[in-house]
Amino acid sequence: MKREIALRINGRNEKLEIDDADTLLEVLRDRFHLWSVREGCGVGACGTCTVLLDGKPVSSCFVLAARMAGREIVTLEGLSKDDKLDAIQEAFINERALQCAYCTPGFVLSVKALLAENPKPSDDEIKEYLSGNLCRCAGYADILRAVRAAQQQHAQAKAKV
């Protein structure tokens, strides 16, 4: 069955017709060409397709688009402002926390949510929060360093305000 929904994607209001069986992953990639949203496992276990839904990380492969009406969705493409990367994106680059980079968008968005929720997480809290994101290149130490660097940048930015 088809239905029309309205949602907000990366700060833009969008209306579209979808099939009831369409996943959010399919809609974001196929309709909006948001290539950072990638399919990994297809069952919500790897974190590759992570997006922020009302500020919280969710696996877009496991969510029906029909249930997203009126919700706020942010993908990696929505993080940069005025052609400037988000501090978390910069930290991942600077700390070389991306090897093949297939998992990177999911990690970056999860870190964004983590730092919004807990600006000073311990290493154990970071590992727990990111436990739903898998890296096949095993870059976890680099990712942890990137989280710490992003955390410092966020703290410095808040101190300036």
Side-chain angles (χ1 to χ4, degrees):
M1 190 161 124
K2 298 256 185 216
R3 71 175 67 209
E4 187 173 286
I5 63 167
L7 60 157
R8 191 164 172 82
I9 302 172
N10 295 332
R12 293 186 334 256
N13 293 321
E14 303 286 354
K15 274 189 179 180
L16 66 150
E17 187 176 281
I18 59 164
D19 187 75
D20 283 344
D22 288 344
T23 65
L24 182 57
L25 168 71
E26 293 167 333
V27 168
L28 293 172
R29 285 186 64 83
D30 298 344
R31 304 279 185 85
F32 295 99
H33 304 127
L34 296 168
W35 307 121
S36 72
V37 186
R38 300 172 177 156
E39 185 165 6
C41 66
V43 294
C46 72
T48 302
C49 66
T50 299
V51 298
L52 297 181
L53 176 62
D54 298 330
K56 301 291 182 193
V58 298
S59 296
S60 63
C61 72
F62 212 55
V63 176
L64 292 175
R67 303 199 68 180
M68 297 299 102
R71 309 291 292 273
E72 173 83 29
I73 297 155
V74 176
T75 69
L76 189 70
E77 291 88 349
L79 287 189
S80 58
K81 302 285 187 247
D82 300 322
D83 293 327
K84 183 170 173 18
L85 294 177
D86 183 85
I88 298 166
Q89 292 170 300
E90 288 181 359
F92 267 70
I93 293 167
N94 294 339
E95 298 301 325
R96 294 180 178 88
L98 36 90
Q99 289 181 33
C100 80
Y102 200 77
C103 66
T104 304
F107 270 105
V108 168
L109 290 165
S110 293
V111 170
K112 183 78 170 171
L114 166 64
L115 294 180
E117 189 177 308
N118 181 358
K120 295 181 181 181
S122 67
D123 285 354
D124 287 340
E125 289 170 322
I126 294 168
K127 291 173 187 175
E128 175 67 27
Y129 201 93
L130 299 180
S131 64
N133 295 77
L134 303 178
C135 173
R136 300 191 90 184
C137 301
Y140 295 110
D142 297 332
I143 291 168
L144 184 58
R145 243 187 357 268
V147 174
R148 289 290 178 219
Q151 181 184 17
Q152 285 182 324
Q153 286 181 322
H154 278 278
Q156 290 170 351
K158 282 187 176 189
K160 289 180 183 178
V161 174

